Amino acid sequence: MIKNVLATVTFTLFLAFPLLAQMTADVAFCGESLPDHLPAVKQRWFRILNRQAAQPTHLTTLKRRASVVFPVIDPIIASYGIPADFKFLPLLESAAVNRAVSRRGAAGFWQIMPETGRILGLRVGKGRDERYDLLKATHAACRYIKQLHAQLGSWMLVAAAYNAGPNYIQQLRKRYPDQHPMAMPYRAAETQAYVYQAMAIKELLTRPLQYRQYFSEHILAQLSKTGTDEVTTQEREAILASYTTPEAFVVENLTASVAPKPVEEVTLITDIDIDEEAVAGAPVIEVGASNGTEVGLAQAGPRLFTRRLGEESLTEGKMVLFEVVRPSEVNGQKVSVGDMLYAYVDMIEPTTGRVFLHTDRLVVAETQASINLRLVAVEKPKQPGVTLPPVSELASGWRLEWEKI
């Protein structure tokens, strides 16, 4: 039975993976191509892409909202001579929710700070806050983006500056004049991943069929809808109504303590949520199950340490994506942080609450090469099966260990 399942999974994955070279060949942001000749950039791109694709429900929500609001802001962006790809930034900043407010006080669809809004000509104060006026805020954001481009000269750097501020980005550019914008040593982990995340959302929303290996048929159908098929008339009217700000809408002293809570926030990917020893390059150490003493991998058997990406519930036969969080070596195959395991749920025991998972494929983050690697999820050596965690843990980085079948 297990052999038949493994054979079916292997064949399915083989059909699902497109030519790997095509997955970076035409990826670009504002006409600037992904520099996939740089291994670190290519590895980070696939890592961010994997994480973004692991949120399919959120992507379909963004798709529906974007289908309504993009026709409104596209002509404004074009009138300023700004590349259309900048329309994807608000999907990161506010999840296309007009009433979104950050902890730092940035507000509205474009997440504009109060003082920046005033400098750009918006009324921000008692009685009215024009950061919530979609048309006026879009004009203001475009003026700001144009100023940034005049200062920095690169649209990718402009996007980074929208997140981190122009002065810091300009100093960094002077210090590293020959460095590609996607390879800059940005101080904040959020900024390091910002442009990658914008590109990932653009790719997944506009070309979902290129990345069909990440999605179920249902999600793929939702992401592939176009035009009037994307939302119902009622939903379209509801989304447009959310961008209508009452004249007397008051925002005074906009701070985290008094600001209205956002309906939804996009969690900006930081790309550093990995074990410290992986960052430090320390050897992988495994804790013995019986007495807690540290034992070498050779004694306890090679293990692979991962965390789950995604938020959906587990069901038997479901594919689940896991990201490697520590460097290791299994079956003579070196595995790096960021490599991906495509795993399947074989069985969920309702009486014991244990779940059995296997994987036979690892995808290398740096090259996207697919490697046969047959492993099972374990809690104890040579004992397949793990305890099903609480829903909160299941949806936020469930950690699993794997060993050879």
Side-chain angles (χ1 to χ4, degrees):
M1 176 65 178
I2 294 295
K3 287 184 178 179
N4 290 337
V5 171
L6 288 173
T8 302
V9 168
T10 302
F11 181 70
T12 301
L13 283 172
F14 175 78
L15 291 178
F17 275 81
L19 293 175
L20 296 171
Q22 295 178 353
M23 294 184 69
T24 59
D26 52 358
V27 174
F29 182 78
C30 299
E32 299 181 49
S33 298
L34 178 80
D36 58 0
H37 62 284
L38 300 175
V41 169
K42 191 172 183 179
Q43 185 175 20
R44 175 168 286 167
W45 160 246
F46 281 114
R47 194 156 60 235
I48 298 297
L49 179 67
N50 289 333
R51 294 186 186 185
Q52 199 65 64
Q55 304 176 54
T57 303
H58 183 63
L59 285 171
T60 58
T61 300
L62 291 181
K63 175 79 170 179
R64 292 196 304 274
R65 292 174 184 166
S67 71
V68 177
V69 74
F70 280 179
V72 177
I73 67 173
D74 277 346
I76 300 174
I77 293 174
S79 71
Y80 284 85
I82 294 171
D85 286 352
F86 271 89
K87 66 186 177 185
F88 292 99
L89 293 195
L91 303 190
L92 302 186
E93 295 286 342
S94 66
V97 173
N98 200 37
R99 295 295 179 86
V101 180
S102 78
R103 295 176 181 177
R104 294 183 297 175
F109 181 78
W110 288 93
Q111 287 291 280
I112 299 172
M113 294 293 289
E115 187 57 34
T116 302
R118 295 186 184 101
I119 292 172
L120 293 169
L122 297 178
R123 292 174 58 190
V124 181
K126 185 176 182 178
R128 185 164 182 81
D129 191 332
E130 291 180 335
R131 293 176 299 167
Y132 296 95
D133 185 311
L134 179 62
L135 297 181
K136 291 183 178 181
T138 299
H139 279 285
C142 287
R143 290 194 292 271
Y144 183 51
I145 290 168
K146 286 287 285 187
Q147 293 171 12
L148 293 178
H149 190 257
Q151 182 177 349
L152 300 170
S154 161
W155 291 117
M156 280 189 176
L157 288 179
V158 169
Y162 198 90
N163 174 260
N167 293 333
Y168 166 67
I169 298 299
Q170 189 171 44
Q171 292 172 4
L172 202 62
R173 181 170 175 261
K174 289 179 179 178
R175 187 173 180 182
Y176 302 96
D178 300 323
Q179 194 79 285
H180 191 280
M182 297 190 74
M184 285 279 193
Y186 299 112
R187 178 176 58 239
E190 182 181 291
T191 307
Q192 291 175 8
Y194 191 78
V195 176
Y196 290 87
Q197 194 174 0
M199 294 173 71
I201 286 181
K202 171 194 169 184
E203 286 291 306
L204 295 170
L205 294 190
T206 60
R207 302 197 303 163
L209 294 178
Q210 284 287 107
Y211 305 94
R212 64 186 312 137
Q213 73 273 16
Y214 291 111
F215 304 121
S216 67
E217 290 300 319
H218 172 70
I219 293 296
L220 192 62
Q222 294 295 311
L223 293 176
S224 300
K225 288 182 178 179
T226 58
T228 57
D229 293 335
E230 295 185 68
V231 294
T232 63
T233 301
Q234 185 177 4
E235 185 178 7
R236 182 180 301 277
E237 291 175 353
I239 293 173
L240 286 174
S242 71
Y243 292 104
T244 302
T245 304
E247 189 68 28
F249 183 63
V250 178
V251 180
E252 278 188 275
N253 302 319
L254 192 56
T255 64
S257 59
V258 301
K261 292 182 179 181
V263 178
E264 181 175 343
E265 285 186 85
V266 172
T267 302
L268 294 177
I269 295 171
T270 63
D271 197 34
I272 60 169
D273 188 14
I274 53 179
D275 289 358
E276 290 183 3
E277 57 253 65
V279 177
V284 178
I285 300 297
E286 172 176 328
V287 178
S290 57
N291 56 15
T293 58
E294 292 183 349
V295 294
L297 287 177
Q299 291 175 275
R303 291 278 187 93
L304 202 56
F305 296 81
T306 66
R307 65 163 184 186
R308 186 198 174 184
L309 298 179
E311 55 192 27
E312 298 180 337
S313 60
L314 295 184
T315 56
E316 292 183 358
K318 183 179 183 63
M319 186 180 76
V320 189
L321 197 61
F322 287 87
E323 179 183 34
V324 176
V325 296
R326 296 191 201 177
S328 185
E329 185 171 332
V330 181
N331 286 7
Q333 173 64 45
K334 290 186 177 180
V335 181
S336 302
V337 172
D339 291 350
M340 308 302 298
L341 282 182
Y342 286 78
Y344 281 80
V345 179
D346 294 319
M347 181 172 60
I348 300 176
E349 289 185 344
T351 55
T352 63
R354 291 181 65 77
V355 57
F356 296 82
L357 304 97
H358 81 271
T359 177
D360 62 355
R361 187 172 297 271
L362 176 135
V363 176
V364 180
E366 183 175 348
T367 64
Q368 285 297 282
S370 183
I371 297 171
N372 293 327
L373 192 62
R374 298 180 63 185
L375 306 171
V376 292
V378 297
E379 286 178 335
K380 298 179 180 180
K382 306 302 180 183
Q383 296 184 31
V386 296
T387 303
L388 191 64
V391 174
S392 58
E393 182 182 342
L394 195 62
S396 58
W398 182 29
R399 300 286 179 125
L400 279 188
E401 299 177 21
W402 304 78
E403 69 178 16
K404 180 181 176 182
I405 295 177

